[in-house]
Each structure stands twice: as structure tokens, then as C-alpha cells.
Amino acid sequence: MFKFIVHSFLRPTEGELFGLKHKDIQSHSNPNYLGMNVRGSKTDQRVSVTMPLAKALYGSIKTPLEWPHVDPEEFVWMPDYPNRTTAINTARRLFKHTNSTPLA
């Protein structure tokens, strides 16, 4: 998820990253990128264009057998949390835990 944030230029907020649903994403093959309809608090509604790696990262979040059955209304990140505030807080804890691990 954190690599996707970097390569998609999305803010980790309820309106952008955590509000993103599968129906909001359009895949483009030439050049290789995703177009995402996001509703940001600072920028209102806009289309955000990703770097190519974000497309590969998005493609890897489901197995190939799951893709035909993905619900377009399902959240892309942490769909098991219907309360998006809980999803954001969980991601924040994961990020803090990852960053508190000492480097070798």
C-alpha cells in the first residue's frame, strides 16, 4: 500500500487513498498507467494519473481468479473495514510500526 501511495501521488486520506473504489480506476495501456477519479478535500474531484509501477501494484492486490468477481463498489485498500476512519488508523499504526523497526 505504501509503495502505491508514492507512485499514485494520492494523499493517505479518507477522500483520496482510502475512499478509492475499484469503479474509480481506469487502466490505460499506452502509456502504461492508471487514471483514478478521486475526491480530495483540498482539490475536490479530479483525475489523478499514476506512474507505471502503480498499475502493477494495483494488479497484484487480487489473485487472477478474483478479478472477474471484484465488486466495483468495494474499496481498493482495506475493504474489510467499512469504517474508513478505522482503516486510516490501522494503516497509520502499520506505518509507525514499520518505521520503528531498527535498520541493520
Side-chain angles (χ1 to χ4, degrees):
M1 173 180 19
F2 299 114
K3 284 184 182 180
F4 187 84
I5 292 171
V6 171
H7 291 276
S8 67
F9 311 109
L10 295 181
R11 293 176 183 91
T13 63
E14 189 173 338
E16 292 195 18
L17 182 74
F18 291 101
L20 193 63
K21 295 182 178 183
H22 291 286
K23 69 176 183 177
D24 297 325
I25 299 177
Q26 301 85 38
S27 180
H28 300 275
S29 58
N30 192 9
N32 199 18
Y33 68 91
L34 298 173
M36 300 174 295
N37 297 317
V38 295
R39 291 162 289 292
S41 59
K42 289 184 177 182
T43 58
D44 294 325
Q45 188 158 344
R46 73 182 197 294
V47 174
S48 179
V49 177
T50 69
M51 299 291 288
L53 183 57
K55 184 174 181 178
L57 293 168
Y58 175 68
S60 70
I61 63 173
K62 299 278 186 191
T63 65
L65 294 176
E66 291 175 303
W67 275 113
H69 308 290
V70 171
D71 179 4
E73 290 293 326
E74 181 180 80
F75 290 107
V76 174
W77 301 106
M78 298 186 171
D80 296 337
Y81 294 96
N83 182 327
R84 303 320 298 168
T85 302
T86 303
I88 292 169
N89 290 336
T90 301
R92 184 178 296 127
R93 283 194 305 275
L94 289 170
F95 184 74
K96 284 182 181 180
H97 177 73
T98 303
N99 283 339
S100 65
T101 307
L103 297 174

